Amino acid sequence: MAREMGVSKQKIAERVQALHEFNPMLGFRGCRLGIVFPEITEMQARAIFEAACNVKKQGIEVEPEIMIPLVGFLTELKAQTKIVRETAAKVFAEKGVTVKHLVGTMIELPRACIVADQIAKEPSFQFRHQRPDANRPGHEPG
């Protein structure tokens, strides 16, 4: 991998160590990970768009649906969507083909349930409420 990326093995090892967490279920995940390390969002989006372009060149129509995970604020969604759209434009220019796609989020967090009306205003947007139990802490008594 280091050779393919044109960096030292030491640099790869340092990056792996920097991304290590004791318990990743405690908050530093989802879109926040992509905000702090935008290269992760870009890498994932690039993989999706390159694959979609390759398949389309084989004559198969595809329409990827890219979901930004664990959004709690509209600004988080906008920041990650911007990276996805910029990456799509780069890949489409490189591949000489465009692919219709959707970018959206699932409402997975209690805070997102409370501000879903704001999050839903994002243009060209796919909106899903995936976990019915996510909204309980926002409006039901304990």
Side-chain angles (χ1 to χ4, degrees):
M1 180 171 67
R3 183 174 50 246
E4 180 73 24
M5 293 176 63
V7 298
S8 70
K9 290 179 184 178
Q10 179 65 28
K11 185 165 181 143
I12 298 291
E14 288 170 2
R15 189 64 164 165
V16 168
Q17 185 61 34
L19 293 173
H20 176 75
E21 286 187 82
F22 178 71
N23 185 347
M25 296 304 286
L26 295 176
F28 190 54
R29 58 192 181 118
C31 69
R32 281 161 299 290
L33 188 61
I35 289 166
V36 173
F37 300 105
E39 64 271 22
I40 293 174
T41 301
E42 183 178 357
M43 173 192 61
Q44 291 174 333
R46 175 169 282 281
I48 292 167
F49 290 121
E50 286 180 350
C53 288
N54 291 342
V55 170
K56 185 172 181 177
K57 283 182 175 183
Q58 295 173 8
I60 301 168
E61 286 298 318
V62 294
E63 186 176 341
E65 297 178 359
I66 299 167
M67 304 301 277
I68 308 299
L70 297 169
V71 167
F73 296 88
L74 178 58
T75 53
E76 293 173 334
L77 178 62
K78 285 184 174 184
Q80 291 294 279
T81 298
K82 182 176 186 271
I83 294 169
V84 170
R85 297 214 185 279
E86 288 173 351
T87 303
K90 288 177 195 172
V91 172
F92 296 162
E94 293 166 10
K95 297 282 189 177
V97 63
T98 61
V99 175
K100 185 177 175 184
H101 60 280
L102 297 172
V103 180
T105 190
M106 289 184 189
I107 300 302
E108 302 172 273
L109 301 174
R111 189 194 190 300
C113 294
I114 293 168
V115 296
D117 61 325
Q118 296 170 27
I119 294 171
K121 291 178 183 175
E122 180 67 12
S124 183
F125 173 75
Q126 184 180 111
F127 188 82
R128 293 195 178 151
H129 183 254
Q130 189 67 16
R131 295 175 51 196
D133 62 332
N135 63 0
R136 288 189 187 128
H139 66 76
E140 288 186 1

